[in-house]
Structures are given as C-alpha cells and as structure tokens.
Amino acid sequence: MSNQDQQPADALINTTDGLAYWESIAPDVNGMLGGFPHISKVDIQGSKNFLAKLGVGAKRRKVERALEGGAGIGRVTTGLLLDGIAQQVDVIEPIQKFTDELKGKTGVGKVWNIGLEQWEMQDGGERYDLIWIQWCVGHLTDHQLVSFLERCKAALDVEKGGFIVVKENNSTSGKDDFDEVDSSVTREDATFRRIFKEAKLKLVQVELQKGFQSSGLLPVRMYALKPE
C-alpha cells in the first residue's frame, strides 16, 4: 500500500498545486467545465429548478444579495444568479484573470480574488440571502471546508431566510478520491453530510442533478443548507 493510500484524501491537497493548475486553464466555459462545455445549459437549468423549489427565482422571490464562492469566469454568476435570482452578486475567486471581465458588470458587487479558505466577512459587512458554492470545495481540506461553511453561515441574513447551496460531484468509489491533476478531492455524499453536521448546518433539500449521465460524468448533488 502506498503512502498516498494510507492518508485521508484531503490530506493530500496542495493549495499551491491547485492554483497553478487553474492558472494554466483558459478563461472560458470549456476551461471551467473541464472540456464538457455542452453541460452548462443543463447544469444552469437544474440549478434554477432547484432554487424554484426553495421559492427563489422562476417568477417567485428574487433575493437582494447573493454570494458565489469559487466563481471562475462568472458562468453561474451571470447565467444563473443574475438571471432572475439575485439583484446583486458578490464573488470569491482566487484566479484574477477569471474575474477580470466580471468587474464593473451590472449586478456584480464585490470581487474577492482570494481562496475560499482565506475569505471572511468583515465586521458590519453585507448579509446574504443566498450563498452559492459550486465545483470548488474539492480544493479545501475537510477542516477548511467546515470553517468556510461556518463563516458563510455567519454571513447569512437569517431574518430573511438566507440559505447556502453546495453543488458538487460525488465520489462513487466507496471513498473520497484525490485527483493529482488539480490537487482536489471528490467527496462521497456521506462525507458532505458529516461536514455539514460539523458546521452545524441542517439539510433542507437535496437533489441529484439530472441530465449528466449520458456524458459519463460523476453524480452531482445540490445541497440546500440553513443554520441549525
């Protein structure tokens, strides 16, 4: 058994390696989706349907302010959140070249070019009705992810019913899997549920993204979370 096999998958994450990988990726939809740009429309529609069931968008309630963690080039910011979901979206994205075109765009507020593990809400800062986190938390260790979710929880506008959505691949190997290519971890559904519990977040809705099976992709789940 190799040393890698003996360690928890998240112990192998190297932030510097992960950043170097994304710095090498083109700032376009193909780059963001790992060579599967055709799934973007299905992905966005699945997210819209999920939020509609939570009473947001689709001619239902439009939230005042949202935050996207790991925004990349803003595919979700502009294609989902600013398309009938939120009036304004702040974004966290460590790779500056990805967010260059977002800055100054109508509806885009603050842009933090830092990692999720570095982000924290300033005292007296804005509170969010919705925090959307998609295809990025694999670069955080379990401990970092719990801490990040706790900070997200503190940044919610609870009085307005604020909530968090995590949308991520799920491992099907029976364990969490480390990917050497981008230094990230694909977690099992059970691992996510344990982490949410540690962050004192309760699941209010879970749904499997439809329409990806024909592309041979891993299962993708959407988790809606509120403070316990």
PDB file of all heavy atoms in Angstrom, residues 23-56:
ATOM      1  N   GLU A  23      -4.412  28.414 -12.968  1.00  0.00           N
ATOM      2  CA  GLU A  23      -3.744  29.490 -13.705  1.00  0.00           C
ATOM      3  C   GLU A  23      -3.430  29.054 -15.137  1.00  0.00           C
ATOM      4  O   GLU A  23      -3.321  29.894 -16.047  1.00  0.00           O
ATOM      5  CB  GLU A  23      -2.445  29.901 -13.000  1.00  0.00           C
ATOM      6  CG  GLU A  23      -2.645  30.737 -11.736  1.00  0.00           C
ATOM      7  CD  GLU A  23      -3.060  32.173 -12.011  1.00  0.00           C
ATOM      8  OE1 GLU A  23      -3.289  32.524 -13.189  1.00  0.00           O
ATOM      9  OE2 GLU A  23      -3.151  32.942 -11.029  1.00  0.00           O
ATOM     10  N   SER A  24      -3.292  27.742 -15.365  1.00  0.00           N
ATOM     11  CA  SER A  24      -2.972  27.219 -16.696  1.00  0.00           C
ATOM     12  C   SER A  24      -4.208  27.017 -17.567  1.00  0.00           C
ATOM     13  O   SER A  24      -4.090  26.695 -18.750  1.00  0.00           O
ATOM     14  CB  SER A  24      -2.230  25.874 -16.567  1.00  0.00           C
ATOM     15  OG  SER A  24      -3.112  24.827 -16.179  1.00  0.00           O
ATOM     16  N   ILE A  25      -5.396  27.212 -16.996  1.00  0.00           N
ATOM     17  CA  ILE A  25      -6.651  26.949 -17.703  1.00  0.00           C
ATOM     18  C   ILE A  25      -7.168  28.218 -18.381  1.00  0.00           C
ATOM     19  O   ILE A  25      -7.123  29.307 -17.820  1.00  0.00           O
ATOM     20  CB  ILE A  25      -7.706  26.399 -16.718  1.00  0.00           C
ATOM     21  CG1 ILE A  25      -7.249  25.061 -16.134  1.00  0.00           C
ATOM     22  CG2 ILE A  25      -9.066  26.254 -17.391  1.00  0.00           C
ATOM     23  CD1 ILE A  25      -7.029  23.958 -17.150  1.00  0.00           C
ATOM     24  N   ALA A  26      -7.673  28.039 -19.609  1.00  0.00           N
ATOM     25  CA  ALA A  26      -8.215  29.176 -20.362  1.00  0.00           C
ATOM     26  C   ALA A  26      -9.462  29.735 -19.677  1.00  0.00           C
ATOM     27  O   ALA A  26     -10.285  28.967 -19.152  1.00  0.00           O
ATOM     28  CB  ALA A  26      -8.559  28.747 -21.784  1.00  0.00           C
ATOM     29  N   PRO A  27      -9.633  31.061 -19.688  1.00  0.00           N
ATOM     30  CA  PRO A  27     -10.790  31.687 -19.046  1.00  0.00           C
ATOM     31  C   PRO A  27     -12.034  31.621 -19.939  1.00  0.00           C
ATOM     32  O   PRO A  27     -12.540  32.643 -20.423  1.00  0.00           O
ATOM     33  CB  PRO A  27     -10.322  33.131 -18.819  1.00  0.00           C
ATOM     34  CG  PRO A  27      -9.356  33.381 -19.928  1.00  0.00           C
ATOM     35  CD  PRO A  27      -8.655  32.073 -20.168  1.00  0.00           C
ATOM     36  N   ASP A  28     -12.521  30.424 -20.180  1.00  0.00           N
ATOM     37  CA  ASP A  28     -13.728  30.244 -20.978  1.00  0.00           C
ATOM     38  C   ASP A  28     -14.541  29.090 -20.406  1.00  0.00           C
ATOM     39  O   ASP A  28     -14.099  28.384 -19.490  1.00  0.00           O
ATOM     40  CB  ASP A  28     -13.402  30.014 -22.462  1.00  0.00           C
ATOM     41  CG  ASP A  28     -12.434  28.853 -22.694  1.00  0.00           C
ATOM     42  OD1 ASP A  28     -12.425  27.903 -21.883  1.00  0.00           O
ATOM     43  OD2 ASP A  28     -11.689  28.873 -23.696  1.00  0.00           O
ATOM     44  N   VAL A  29     -15.733  28.868 -20.942  1.00  0.00           N
ATOM     45  CA  VAL A  29     -16.632  27.843 -20.401  1.00  0.00           C
ATOM     46  C   VAL A  29     -16.022  26.457 -20.541  1.00  0.00           C
ATOM     47  O   VAL A  29     -16.135  25.618 -19.639  1.00  0.00           O
ATOM     48  CB  VAL A  29     -18.016  27.908 -21.095  1.00  0.00           C
ATOM     49  CG1 VAL A  29     -18.897  26.737 -20.655  1.00  0.00           C
ATOM     50  CG2 VAL A  29     -18.708  29.226 -20.769  1.00  0.00           C
ATOM     51  N   ASN A  30     -15.343  26.210 -21.655  1.00  0.00           N
ATOM     52  CA  ASN A  30     -14.694  24.908 -21.844  1.00  0.00           C
ATOM     53  C   ASN A  30     -13.674  24.650 -20.730  1.00  0.00           C
ATOM     54  O   ASN A  30     -13.608  23.552 -20.161  1.00  0.00           O
ATOM     55  CB  ASN A  30     -14.007  24.850 -23.205  1.00  0.00           C
ATOM     56  CG  ASN A  30     -13.415  23.483 -23.498  1.00  0.00           C
ATOM     57  OD1 ASN A  30     -14.124  22.486 -23.558  1.00  0.00           O
ATOM     58  ND2 ASN A  30     -12.102  23.431 -23.685  1.00  0.00           N
ATOM     59  N   GLY A  31     -12.892  25.664 -20.388  1.00  0.00           N
ATOM     60  CA  GLY A  31     -11.908  25.528 -19.325  1.00  0.00           C
ATOM     61  C   GLY A  31     -12.550  25.315 -17.969  1.00  0.00           C
ATOM     62  O   GLY A  31     -12.109  24.463 -17.191  1.00  0.00           O
ATOM     63  N   MET A  32     -13.618  26.072 -17.695  1.00  0.00           N
ATOM     64  CA  MET A  32     -14.296  25.957 -16.407  1.00  0.00           C
ATOM     65  C   MET A  32     -14.916  24.580 -16.208  1.00  0.00           C
ATOM     66  O   MET A  32     -14.963  24.056 -15.089  1.00  0.00           O
ATOM     67  CB  MET A  32     -15.408  27.013 -16.271  1.00  0.00           C
ATOM     68  CG  MET A  32     -14.946  28.470 -16.299  1.00  0.00           C
ATOM     69  SD  MET A  32     -13.779  28.921 -14.995  1.00  0.00           S
ATOM     70  CE  MET A  32     -12.213  28.790 -15.883  1.00  0.00           C
ATOM     71  N   LEU A  33     -15.382  23.981 -17.298  1.00  0.00           N
ATOM     72  CA  LEU A  33     -16.110  22.712 -17.202  1.00  0.00           C
ATOM     73  C   LEU A  33     -15.278  21.519 -17.655  1.00  0.00           C
ATOM     74  O   LEU A  33     -15.823  20.463 -17.972  1.00  0.00           O
ATOM     75  CB  LEU A  33     -17.418  22.797 -17.995  1.00  0.00           C
ATOM     76  CG  LEU A  33     -18.418  23.828 -17.455  1.00  0.00           C
ATOM     77  CD1 LEU A  33     -19.676  23.870 -18.312  1.00  0.00           C
ATOM     78  CD2 LEU A  33     -18.788  23.527 -16.000  1.00  0.00           C
ATOM     79  N   GLY A  34     -13.962  21.682 -17.668  1.00  0.00           N
ATOM     80  CA  GLY A  34     -13.073  20.553 -17.913  1.00  0.00           C
ATOM     81  C   GLY A  34     -13.282  19.843 -19.230  1.00  0.00           C
ATOM     82  O   GLY A  34     -13.143  18.613 -19.315  1.00  0.00           O
ATOM     83  N   GLY A  35     -13.615  20.610 -20.274  1.00  0.00           N
ATOM     84  CA  GLY A  35     -13.796  20.007 -21.589  1.00  0.00           C
ATOM     85  C   GLY A  35     -15.207  19.516 -21.859  1.00  0.00           C
ATOM     86  O   GLY A  35     -15.452  18.827 -22.862  1.00  0.00           O
ATOM     87  N   PHE A  36     -16.153  19.882 -20.981  1.00  0.00           N
ATOM     88  CA  PHE A  36     -17.556  19.488 -21.168  1.00  0.00           C
ATOM     89  C   PHE A  36     -18.454  20.728 -21.242  1.00  0.00           C
ATOM     90  O   PHE A  36     -19.404  20.864 -20.462  1.00  0.00           O
ATOM     91  CB  PHE A  36     -18.026  18.587 -20.022  1.00  0.00           C
ATOM     92  CG  PHE A  36     -17.356  17.239 -19.973  1.00  0.00           C
ATOM     93  CD1 PHE A  36     -16.179  17.061 -19.249  1.00  0.00           C
ATOM     94  CD2 PHE A  36     -17.901  16.149 -20.642  1.00  0.00           C
ATOM     95  CE1 PHE A  36     -15.564  15.821 -19.187  1.00  0.00           C
ATOM     96  CE2 PHE A  36     -17.291  14.903 -20.594  1.00  0.00           C
ATOM     97  CZ  PHE A  36     -16.115  14.735 -19.874  1.00  0.00           C
ATOM     98  N   PRO A  37     -18.190  21.656 -22.170  1.00  0.00           N
ATOM     99  CA  PRO A  37     -18.970  22.901 -22.195  1.00  0.00           C
ATOM    100  C   PRO A  37     -20.453  22.674 -22.486  1.00  0.00           C
ATOM    101  O   PRO A  37     -21.299  23.489 -22.105  1.00  0.00           O
ATOM    102  CB  PRO A  37     -18.302  23.709 -23.322  1.00  0.00           C
ATOM    103  CG  PRO A  37     -17.673  22.681 -24.204  1.00  0.00           C
ATOM    104  CD  PRO A  37     -17.195  21.605 -23.271  1.00  0.00           C
ATOM    105  N   HIS A  38     -20.770  21.540 -23.133  1.00  0.00           N
ATOM    106  CA  HIS A  38     -22.161  21.276 -23.514  1.00  0.00           C
ATOM    107  C   HIS A  38     -23.079  21.031 -22.316  1.00  0.00           C
ATOM    108  O   HIS A  38     -24.303  21.086 -22.451  1.00  0.00           O
ATOM    109  CB  HIS A  38     -22.229  20.066 -24.454  1.00  0.00           C
ATOM    110  CG  HIS A  38     -21.682  18.809 -23.851  1.00  0.00           C
ATOM    111  ND1 HIS A  38     -20.331  18.561 -23.775  1.00  0.00           N
ATOM    112  CD2 HIS A  38     -22.304  17.742 -23.290  1.00  0.00           C
ATOM    113  CE1 HIS A  38     -20.140  17.377 -23.192  1.00  0.00           C
ATOM    114  NE2 HIS A  38     -21.321  16.871 -22.895  1.00  0.00           N
ATOM    115  N   ILE A  39     -22.496  20.769 -21.132  1.00  0.00           N
ATOM    116  CA  ILE A  39     -23.361  20.506 -19.968  1.00  0.00           C
ATOM    117  C   ILE A  39     -23.804  21.792 -19.271  1.00  0.00           C
ATOM    118  O   ILE A  39     -24.638  21.748 -18.370  1.00  0.00           O
ATOM    119  CB  ILE A  39     -22.660  19.591 -18.939  1.00  0.00           C
ATOM    120  CG1 ILE A  39     -21.500  20.329 -18.238  1.00  0.00           C
ATOM    121  CG2 ILE A  39     -22.209  18.279 -19.574  1.00  0.00           C
ATOM    122  CD1 ILE A  39     -20.942  19.606 -17.032  1.00  0.00           C
ATOM    123  N   SER A  40     -23.273  22.940 -19.687  1.00  0.00           N
ATOM    124  CA  SER A  40     -23.549  24.187 -18.973  1.00  0.00           C
ATOM    125  C   SER A  40     -25.041  24.513 -18.930  1.00  0.00           C
ATOM    126  O   SER A  40     -25.581  24.860 -17.874  1.00  0.00           O
ATOM    127  CB  SER A  40     -22.781  25.353 -19.602  1.00  0.00           C
ATOM    128  OG  SER A  40     -22.916  26.520 -18.810  1.00  0.00           O
ATOM    129  N   LYS A  41     -25.712  24.390 -20.061  1.00  0.00           N
ATOM    130  CA  LYS A  41     -27.136  24.730 -20.118  1.00  0.00           C
ATOM    131  C   LYS A  41     -27.961  23.832 -19.203  1.00  0.00           C
ATOM    132  O   LYS A  41     -28.844  24.297 -18.475  1.00  0.00           O
ATOM    133  CB  LYS A  41     -27.641  24.628 -21.558  1.00  0.00           C
ATOM    134  CG  LYS A  41     -29.077  25.086 -21.744  1.00  0.00           C
ATOM    135  CD  LYS A  41     -29.492  25.040 -23.209  1.00  0.00           C
ATOM    136  CE  LYS A  41     -30.938  25.497 -23.380  1.00  0.00           C
ATOM    137  NZ  LYS A  41     -31.360  25.463 -24.815  1.00  0.00           N
ATOM    138  N   VAL A  42     -27.659  22.529 -19.225  1.00  0.00           N
ATOM    139  CA  VAL A  42     -28.378  21.568 -18.381  1.00  0.00           C
ATOM    140  C   VAL A  42     -28.098  21.857 -16.906  1.00  0.00           C
ATOM    141  O   VAL A  42     -28.995  21.799 -16.063  1.00  0.00           O
ATOM    142  CB  VAL A  42     -27.976  20.123 -18.738  1.00  0.00           C
ATOM    143  CG1 VAL A  42     -28.633  19.119 -17.795  1.00  0.00           C
ATOM    144  CG2 VAL A  42     -28.345  19.802 -20.180  1.00  0.00           C
ATOM    145  N   ASP A  43     -26.840  22.172 -16.612  1.00  0.00           N
ATOM    146  CA  ASP A  43     -26.438  22.488 -15.238  1.00  0.00           C
ATOM    147  C   ASP A  43     -27.197  23.697 -14.717  1.00  0.00           C
ATOM    148  O   ASP A  43     -27.766  23.663 -13.623  1.00  0.00           O
ATOM    149  CB  ASP A  43     -24.930  22.746 -15.206  1.00  0.00           C
ATOM    150  CG  ASP A  43     -24.481  23.377 -13.898  1.00  0.00           C
ATOM    151  OD1 ASP A  43     -24.672  22.736 -12.846  1.00  0.00           O
ATOM    152  OD2 ASP A  43     -23.960  24.501 -13.922  1.00  0.00           O
ATOM    153  N   ILE A  44     -27.212  24.764 -15.499  1.00  0.00           N
ATOM    154  CA  ILE A  44     -27.887  26.001 -15.077  1.00  0.00           C
ATOM    155  C   ILE A  44     -29.378  25.767 -14.883  1.00  0.00           C
ATOM    156  O   ILE A  44     -29.973  26.227 -13.897  1.00  0.00           O
ATOM    157  CB  ILE A  44     -27.646  27.130 -16.107  1.00  0.00           C
ATOM    158  CG1 ILE A  44     -26.166  27.537 -16.151  1.00  0.00           C
ATOM    159  CG2 ILE A  44     -28.537  28.338 -15.797  1.00  0.00           C
ATOM    160  CD1 ILE A  44     -25.652  28.232 -14.915  1.00  0.00           C
ATOM    161  N   GLN A  45     -29.995  25.028 -15.796  1.00  0.00           N
ATOM    162  CA  GLN A  45     -31.436  24.779 -15.679  1.00  0.00           C
ATOM    163  C   GLN A  45     -31.739  23.929 -14.450  1.00  0.00           C
ATOM    164  O   GLN A  45     -32.726  24.183 -13.745  1.00  0.00           O
ATOM    165  CB  GLN A  45     -31.966  24.084 -16.933  1.00  0.00           C
ATOM    166  CG  GLN A  45     -33.493  23.977 -16.973  1.00  0.00           C
ATOM    167  CD  GLN A  45     -34.164  25.339 -16.883  1.00  0.00           C
ATOM    168  OE1 GLN A  45     -33.887  26.230 -17.666  1.00  0.00           O
ATOM    169  NE2 GLN A  45     -35.075  25.505 -15.912  1.00  0.00           N
ATOM    170  N   GLY A  46     -30.885  22.954 -14.167  1.00  0.00           N
ATOM    171  CA  GLY A  46     -31.078  22.143 -12.966  1.00  0.00           C
ATOM    172  C   GLY A  46     -31.000  22.977 -11.703  1.00  0.00           C
ATOM    173  O   GLY A  46     -31.761  22.781 -10.751  1.00  0.00           O
ATOM    174  N   SER A  47     -30.070  23.940 -11.697  1.00  0.00           N
ATOM    175  CA  SER A  47     -29.922  24.831 -10.542  1.00  0.00           C
ATOM    176  C   SER A  47     -31.142  25.740 -10.397  1.00  0.00           C
ATOM    177  O   SER A  47     -31.618  25.990  -9.275  1.00  0.00           O
ATOM    178  CB  SER A  47     -28.651  25.671 -10.699  1.00  0.00           C
ATOM    179  OG  SER A  47     -27.504  24.838 -10.737  1.00  0.00           O
ATOM    180  N   LYS A  48     -31.657  26.247 -11.518  1.00  0.00           N
ATOM    181  CA  LYS A  48     -32.851  27.096 -11.476  1.00  0.00           C
ATOM    182  C   LYS A  48     -34.044  26.328 -10.928  1.00  0.00           C
ATOM    183  O   LYS A  48     -34.816  26.847 -10.105  1.00  0.00           O
ATOM    184  CB  LYS A  48     -33.176  27.631 -12.880  1.00  0.00           C
ATOM    185  CG  LYS A  48     -32.249  28.731 -13.350  1.00  0.00           C
ATOM    186  CD  LYS A  48     -32.667  29.257 -14.721  1.00  0.00           C
ATOM    187  CE  LYS A  48     -31.772  30.421 -15.141  1.00  0.00           C
ATOM    188  NZ  LYS A  48     -32.132  30.941 -16.489  1.00  0.00           N
ATOM    189  N   ASN A  49     -34.199  25.075 -11.373  1.00  0.00           N
ATOM    190  CA  ASN A  49     -35.308  24.252 -10.900  1.00  0.00           C
ATOM    191  C   ASN A  49     -35.196  23.997  -9.399  1.00  0.00           C
ATOM    192  O   ASN A  49     -36.197  24.012  -8.667  1.00  0.00           O
ATOM    193  CB  ASN A  49     -35.337  22.913 -11.647  1.00  0.00           C
ATOM    194  CG  ASN A  49     -35.641  23.076 -13.132  1.00  0.00           C
ATOM    195  OD1 ASN A  49     -36.105  24.135 -13.578  1.00  0.00           O
ATOM    196  ND2 ASN A  49     -35.388  22.039 -13.904  1.00  0.00           N
ATOM    197  N   PHE A  50     -33.977  23.755  -8.947  1.00  0.00           N
ATOM    198  CA  PHE A  50     -33.729  23.501  -7.528  1.00  0.00           C
ATOM    199  C   PHE A  50     -34.094  24.725  -6.692  1.00  0.00           C
ATOM    200  O   PHE A  50     -34.775  24.614  -5.660  1.00  0.00           O
ATOM    201  CB  PHE A  50     -32.249  23.135  -7.334  1.00  0.00           C
ATOM    202  CG  PHE A  50     -31.872  22.720  -5.940  1.00  0.00           C
ATOM    203  CD1 PHE A  50     -32.297  21.515  -5.418  1.00  0.00           C
ATOM    204  CD2 PHE A  50     -31.058  23.537  -5.159  1.00  0.00           C
ATOM    205  CE1 PHE A  50     -31.932  21.120  -4.125  1.00  0.00           C
ATOM    206  CE2 PHE A  50     -30.685  23.150  -3.877  1.00  0.00           C
ATOM    207  CZ  PHE A  50     -31.130  21.940  -3.362  1.00  0.00           C
ATOM    208  N   LEU A  51     -33.655  25.899  -7.129  1.00  0.00           N
ATOM    209  CA  LEU A  51     -33.947  27.128  -6.392  1.00  0.00           C
ATOM    210  C   LEU A  51     -35.447  27.451  -6.409  1.00  0.00           C
ATOM    211  O   LEU A  51     -35.991  27.957  -5.421  1.00  0.00           O
ATOM    212  CB  LEU A  51     -33.151  28.293  -6.986  1.00  0.00           C
ATOM    213  CG  LEU A  51     -31.655  28.292  -6.660  1.00  0.00           C
ATOM    214  CD1 LEU A  51     -30.931  29.368  -7.454  1.00  0.00           C
ATOM    215  CD2 LEU A  51     -31.412  28.498  -5.161  1.00  0.00           C
ATOM    216  N   ALA A  52     -36.111  27.135  -7.526  1.00  0.00           N
ATOM    217  CA  ALA A  52     -37.550  27.389  -7.616  1.00  0.00           C
ATOM    218  C   ALA A  52     -38.313  26.607  -6.548  1.00  0.00           C
ATOM    219  O   ALA A  52     -39.285  27.099  -5.959  1.00  0.00           O
ATOM    220  CB  ALA A  52     -38.063  27.023  -9.004  1.00  0.00           C
ATOM    221  N   LYS A  53     -37.851  25.397  -6.285  1.00  0.00           N
ATOM    222  CA  LYS A  53     -38.492  24.577  -5.244  1.00  0.00           C
ATOM    223  C   LYS A  53     -38.263  25.163  -3.854  1.00  0.00           C
ATOM    224  O   LYS A  53     -38.993  24.843  -2.910  1.00  0.00           O
ATOM    225  CB  LYS A  53     -37.955  23.145  -5.307  1.00  0.00           C
ATOM    226  CG  LYS A  53     -38.373  22.409  -6.576  1.00  0.00           C
ATOM    227  CD  LYS A  53     -37.656  21.079  -6.709  1.00  0.00           C
ATOM    228  CE  LYS A  53     -37.987  20.431  -8.050  1.00  0.00           C
ATOM    229  NZ  LYS A  53     -37.209  19.192  -8.284  1.00  0.00           N
ATOM    230  N   LEU A  54     -37.260  26.013  -3.743  1.00  0.00           N
ATOM    231  CA  LEU A  54     -36.974  26.697  -2.480  1.00  0.00           C
ATOM    232  C   LEU A  54     -37.599  28.091  -2.438  1.00  0.00           C
ATOM    233  O   LEU A  54     -37.347  28.883  -1.537  1.00  0.00           O
ATOM    234  CB  LEU A  54     -35.456  26.798  -2.280  1.00  0.00           C
ATOM    235  CG  LEU A  54     -34.755  25.453  -2.026  1.00  0.00           C
ATOM    236  CD1 LEU A  54     -33.259  25.563  -2.318  1.00  0.00           C
ATOM    237  CD2 LEU A  54     -34.992  24.975  -0.605  1.00  0.00           C
ATOM    238  N   GLY A  55     -38.399  28.382  -3.471  1.00  0.00           N
ATOM    239  CA  GLY A  55     -39.140  29.643  -3.503  1.00  0.00           C
ATOM    240  C   GLY A  55     -38.378  30.828  -4.045  1.00  0.00           C
ATOM    241  O   GLY A  55     -38.764  31.975  -3.828  1.00  0.00           O
ATOM    242  N   VAL A  56     -37.286  30.564  -4.786  1.00  0.00           N
ATOM    243  CA  VAL A  56     -36.469  31.657  -5.314  1.00  0.00           C
ATOM    244  C   VAL A  56     -36.387  31.544  -6.837  1.00  0.00           C
ATOM    245  O   VAL A  56     -36.155  30.464  -7.384  1.00  0.00           O
ATOM    246  CB  VAL A  56     -35.038  31.612  -4.717  1.00  0.00           C
ATOM    247  CG1 VAL A  56     -34.157  32.683  -5.350  1.00  0.00           C
ATOM    248  CG2 VAL A  56     -35.091  31.796  -3.206  1.00  0.00           C
TER     249      VAL A  56
END
